[in-house]
Amino acid sequence: MSGDSCHLPLHQLHLQTQPSSGSPAITPPHEASQMACPKTKANSYRRAAGQGNKYVRLNVGGTLFYTTLQVLTRQDSMLKAMFSGRKEVFSDRQGWILIDRSGKHFGSILTYLREGVVTLPPGRQGVLELLAEAKYYLIQGLVELCQGGLQDGKEEALCVIPVVTSTKEEEKLIQGCTKPVVKLLYNRSNNKYSYTSNSDDNLLKNIELFDKLSLSYNGRVLFIKDVIGDEICCWSFYGQGRKLAEVCCTSIVYATEKKQTKVDFPEARIYEETLNVLLYETALPVPDNTLLEATRRRHAPSHTHCGSHSEEEESPAHAGVELRERVRRIHVKRYSTHDDRPLGL
């Protein structure tokens, strides 16, 4: 903090109104200076013998700290210059020494002065902030520690998402994984028709939801991206190496003059299937049949006219086939006879 802001030029005078006469009176320059900065004063610390354990109250950017003169003057730094009488310091009326810096990492500064070592803050940004403070206070040892941490430390990925480029690679990942698997297949260029006006936005929304789910369920579910499949946008859900359900997000729109491809964003359905696949993260051979029955969708008649319907693939075995052998295939507005674009587009 600079002391210049607390002093006025000698030629500058302040006018003050007297209550009795109402006429202005001239205030001397030294009194005007005290009126301008009434809460701070400049002084200098001189460490006397036996006063090393004296506590000092610090106000660093609004954050308050207690420490001793011995800690502040232990290493050659700006703080040692301030509290050994070589550099002027400022304090308020309550005796708090004012330091015009952020107090976010000042605790780490004191820890390093006290112990000679300190745990670097998590993340690269935190280390960079501490490095800036260490440079300001001229603490060379802490500067070198931060610089070494930036060189040696590598950011750990929050979530690693493999991108499959072949069917064999996909099978190897799914069969070798003990966790449930959610795969998003997207390939915008795999289309012979033009896209509807909002298809690109919906495709991006599917990708964004995939990234959000991968962060939310990281460690519990393996998320895979597929960019080589035949579909344009399709979600697949696996448990214990077997496909449980899929949600196809593309449909064909029969416009007036030509066909168009539409990409939908069935957010609620995707969330539902992701929660269902969590039933398979246990080490049991198969999930409880009661849970399977509760999450299983009823077979929708093939002649339904609902905008969104579910079709279950019938097993060639007898009607009493176990539920875990079925795959829910969900197609959202697979075929449509109109264009859903707003008027005027």
Side-chain angles (χ1 to χ4, degrees):
M1 173 179 290
S2 174
D4 297 340
S5 62
C6 294
H7 298 279
L8 298 176
L10 294 179
H11 65 273
Q12 184 174 349
L13 301 179
H14 282 241
L15 297 180
Q16 188 177 30
T17 302
Q18 296 180 352
S20 58
S21 62
S23 59
I26 298 178
T27 303
H30 68 279
E31 295 182 11
S33 176
Q34 293 177 359
M35 292 171 58
C37 283
K39 295 184 179 181
T40 62
K41 63 178 181 178
N43 53 37
S44 60
Y45 264 82
R46 294 188 181 276
R47 178 181 174 184
Q51 291 186 350
N53 293 327
K54 178 182 178 182
Y55 270 86
V56 181
R57 297 185 297 175
L58 302 176
N59 183 338
V60 186
T63 306
L64 306 181
F65 296 89
Y66 280 94
T67 188
T68 63
L69 285 175
Q70 183 180 16
V71 171
L72 294 172
T73 58
R74 178 167 294 172
Q75 299 189 28
D76 190 13
S77 65
M78 180 185 292
L79 293 170
K80 182 177 182 179
M82 292 173 60
F83 293 94
S84 61
R86 290 182 290 160
K87 187 176 178 62
E88 195 174 45
V89 298
F90 293 86
S91 62
D92 60 15
R93 287 181 176 178
Q94 287 73 37
W96 291 91
I97 306 299
L98 306 178
I99 301 179
D100 190 16
R101 294 292 291 183
S102 171
K104 180 178 179 181
H105 297 288
F106 194 75
S108 297
I109 296 290
L110 293 179
T111 300
Y112 183 81
L113 293 178
R114 188 180 299 111
E115 307 293 341
V117 293
V118 68
T119 302
L120 296 179
R124 182 179 179 83
Q125 182 60 35
V127 178
L128 288 173
E129 293 173 357
L130 180 58
L131 174 61
E133 297 302 305
K135 288 182 177 180
Y136 175 80
Y137 293 110
L138 302 177
I139 307 176
Q140 185 58 33
L142 183 55
V143 170
E144 295 175 357
L145 180 63
C146 293
Q147 290 175 341
L150 291 173
Q151 293 177 358
D152 300 335
K154 296 182 180 179
E155 292 281 350
E156 293 185 1
L158 294 177
C159 181
V160 178
I161 301 176
V163 179
V164 297
T165 56
S166 67
T167 304
K168 291 184 178 181
E169 182 181 3
E170 176 184 327
E171 292 177 353
K172 182 178 179 181
L173 280 172
I174 295 175
Q175 296 299 328
C177 183
T178 58
K179 298 180 293 186
V181 179
V182 174
K183 185 190 74 170
L184 174 62
L185 187 159
Y186 63 94
N187 189 354
R188 186 186 182 281
S189 60
N190 185 24
N191 180 39
K192 60 182 179 179
Y193 306 117
S194 62
Y195 285 92
T196 58
S197 58
N198 58 352
S199 290
D200 283 327
D201 289 341
N202 285 337
L203 182 59
L204 290 176
K205 288 179 181 179
N206 278 279
I207 297 174
E208 290 174 355
L209 178 58
F210 179 85
D211 294 338
K212 183 188 299 184
L213 291 174
S214 64
L215 291 175
S216 299
Y217 297 102
N218 180 37
R220 301 178 62 185
V221 178
L222 173 63
F223 290 85
I224 299 175
K225 285 185 177 180
D226 185 356
V227 295
I228 61 171
D230 296 330
E231 293 285 353
I232 297 171
C233 183
C234 185
W235 294 74
S236 299
F237 304 87
Y238 300 83
Q240 298 178 359
R242 183 178 57 82
K243 181 183 284 190
L244 305 172
E246 67 176 20
V247 178
C248 182
C249 303
T250 55
S251 59
I252 302 298
V253 173
Y254 291 90
T256 305
E257 299 179 355
K258 58 182 180 180
K259 295 180 181 179
Q260 288 183 307
T261 299
K262 180 180 180 181
V263 179
D264 290 287
F265 178 51
E267 182 178 11
R269 186 64 57 81
I270 295 168
Y271 265 115
E272 181 182 359
E273 295 301 335
T274 303
L275 294 176
N276 288 339
V277 84
L278 290 176
L279 298 173
Y280 288 80
E281 68 174 332
T282 62
L284 298 176
V286 292
D288 183 78
N289 284 335
T290 304
L291 293 177
L292 284 173
E293 179 66 26
T295 59
R296 183 176 68 92
R297 290 191 169 274
R298 299 296 180 183
H299 176 68
S302 59
H303 60 277
T304 182
H305 296 286
C306 295
S308 175
H309 63 273
S310 168
E311 297 177 0
E312 291 187 3
E313 187 180 69
E314 293 295 338
S315 172
H318 55 82
V321 66
E322 293 183 359
L323 295 175
R324 62 178 181 273
E325 298 299 331
R326 298 188 178 184
V327 177
R328 294 186 300 276
R329 303 195 186 280
I330 301 144
H331 302 283
V332 180
K333 288 188 178 181
R334 192 59 175 170
Y335 297 101
S336 177
T337 57
H338 63 281
D339 192 344
D340 291 338
R341 291 179 298 180
L343 295 177
L345 296 181

